[in-house]
Amino acid sequence: MEILTMTLIDLEQMKDILYSDFDNFWSYNVLKQELENPNTTYIIAKENNEVVGFAGISTCLDEATLNNIVVKKSCRGRGIGSELLESLIDLCVDLHMKSLTLEVDTENEPAINLYKKFGFKNLGTRKKYYNNTRDAFIMTKYDF
Ligand SMILES: CC(C)(COP(=O)(O)OP(=O)(O)OC[C@H]1O[C@@H](n2cnc3c(N)ncnc32)[C@H](O)[C@@H]1OP(=O)(O)O)[C@@H](O)C(=O)NCCC(=O)NCCS
């Protein structure tokens, strides 16, 4: 498996399977805007020339935010999410970030476990953060 910087060409290749094979919370148009944003970096995991996961951060001064991390449904539980997150943490080190912060649905156990595995600490809860119904944990990693 390779970890590469995501390009518009990669996004075009994923366009028709974004919702069905990954997840439905980031649309093609939003991801396209993300790729055009100079403060944002997206990476992909590629296996046999096929994108099996992607993730991105945005930065502001010395603070980074994890915008998204998603692995193709049929490829989960094989370490791809870990590789993506590890690469983004390495990128934060290279960019001299002092923290990496994210929000995660309080019921998203796989993602919460992934973040804990990489040393993210739960700093609190944003009530009704998703669709004005479900709560989110705010998790941050400081110790790069
Ligand atoms: C969260 C996600 C990216 C993890 O990717 P993955 O490739 O399956 O993760 P990995 O195989 O690298 O597993 C890493 C850790 O996550 C946790 N984890 C993964 N799948 C899990 C599951 N089904 N149940 C509980 N914990 C799980 C484990 O702690 C695991 O570490 P371990 O293998 O040492 O036990 C993936 O489940 C996904 O794409 N989910 C949908 C999108 C999403 O919710 N993204 C997060 C938005 S905040």
Side-chain angles (χ1 to χ4, degrees), residues 19-35:
Y19 275 32
S20 57
D21 290 15
F22 290 89
D23 249 305
N24 59 5
F25 52 87
W26 283 69
S27 70
Y28 168 82
N29 287 332
V30 175
L31 283 169
K32 192 161 179 274
Q33 281 170 24
E34 289 277 284
L35 292 185

Side-chain angles (χ1 to χ4, degrees), residues 22-23 25 68-72 75-83 102-105 108-111 113-115 117 130:
F22 290 89
D23 249 305
F25 52 87
N68 196 359
I69 181 163
V70 55
V71 171
K72 199 172 177 182
C75 301
R76 290 179 189 169
R78 287 176 31 205
I80 297 169
S82 298
E83 292 230 18
L102 58 91
E103 286 101 13
V104 57
D105 190 314
N108 190 346
E109 202 187 323
N113 287 345
L114 169 68
Y115 302 140
K117 183 175 161 183
Y130 298 107

Side-chain angles (χ1 to χ4, degrees), residues 116-132:
K116 282 186 181 160
K117 183 175 161 183
F118 282 88
F120 285 78
K121 301 278 181 266
N122 187 352
L123 300 189
T125 307
R126 288 205 167 114
K127 292 281 181 195
K128 300 189 175 183
Y129 182 74
Y130 298 107
N131 299 328
N132 209 24

